[in-house]
Amino acid sequence: MRNLQSSAAILIAAAAVLVFATSNVVEGFHINLKVHDHVYNNITLYARLDVHCKSKQDDLGLQWVGFEQEYIFTFHPNIQETTLFWCNLSWEDPDTGRVYSQGIKAFTPGKCSTHCYWLAKSDGIYFAKDDKPKDYKWAYPWNS
């Protein structure tokens, strides 16, 4: 009888682990949910946007984003909900040679659930989230 109870307990525990591992939400916490960060260049025709993103654990390196192109990086936030990503964006004005740059908090817990959208324009950096990718709000100025 004891072996049967042990086997039943192991089976129930295994089933619980399986449900937990395949579920996106457990008691309000997001588990293994992918977040996609999108960075669009809408500055000007001949301006290349340089994007360098990193977290405490990962450095994604320098990415060059052409006009009307995007850079997307995807990651799984940790279970403690402490994952942070920063990006440095910069570009050179092709007419004046002036360089503009700005650091942004590309992802912080609660900022967005599955998609963070960043739009670089000549007057600043705009942000939209999740199911509203067209609802951009001004977020950061350029430093020069």
Side-chain angles (χ1 to χ4, degrees):
M1 184 71 161
R2 204 168 259 230
N3 284 343
L4 183 59
Q5 287 176 337
S6 280
S7 296
I10 290 171
L11 185 59
I12 290 170
V17 167
L18 181 62
V19 167
F20 182 78
T22 58
S23 174
N24 282 340
V25 179
V26 176
E27 292 184 21
F29 291 99
H30 297 282
I31 307 300
N32 288 328
L33 192 63
K34 284 184 182 179
V35 174
H36 308 275
D37 242 286
H38 305 254
V39 181
Y40 294 93
N41 176 358
N42 196 28
I43 297 170
T44 185
L45 181 59
Y46 298 106
R48 179 188 76 200
L49 180 66
D50 295 343
V51 179
H52 187 184
C53 298
K54 60 184 173 179
S55 71
K56 187 175 179 181
Q57 293 81 19
D58 298 302
D59 186 334
L60 305 180
L62 179 63
Q63 309 296 319
W64 296 334
V65 184
F67 180 64
E68 295 186 342
Q69 300 295 310
E70 74 177 312
Y71 167 58
I72 303 172
F73 64 95
T74 302
F75 60 95
H76 294 271
N78 63 27
I79 195 166
Q80 299 89 1
E81 295 188 357
T82 59
T83 302
L84 304 171
F85 267 94
W86 301 268
C87 295
N88 289 312
L89 281 58
S90 62
W91 63 283
E92 182 178 343
D93 186 318
D95 296 326
T96 66
R98 192 172 186 180
V99 175
Y100 297 89
S101 64
Q102 181 58 272
I104 65 170
K105 293 179 183 176
F107 176 81
T108 58
K111 185 178 225 46
C112 44
S113 298
T114 57
H115 291 272
C116 296
Y117 298 93
W118 297 96
L119 177 66
K121 297 175 77 172
S122 61
D123 66 340
I125 303 166
Y126 294 75
F127 172 73
K129 64 181 182 176
D130 299 321
D131 60 343
K132 299 183 184 212
K134 303 298 182 204
D135 190 22
Y136 284 100
K137 304 277 190 258
W138 186 88
Y140 294 97
W142 290 111
N143 297 321
S144 58

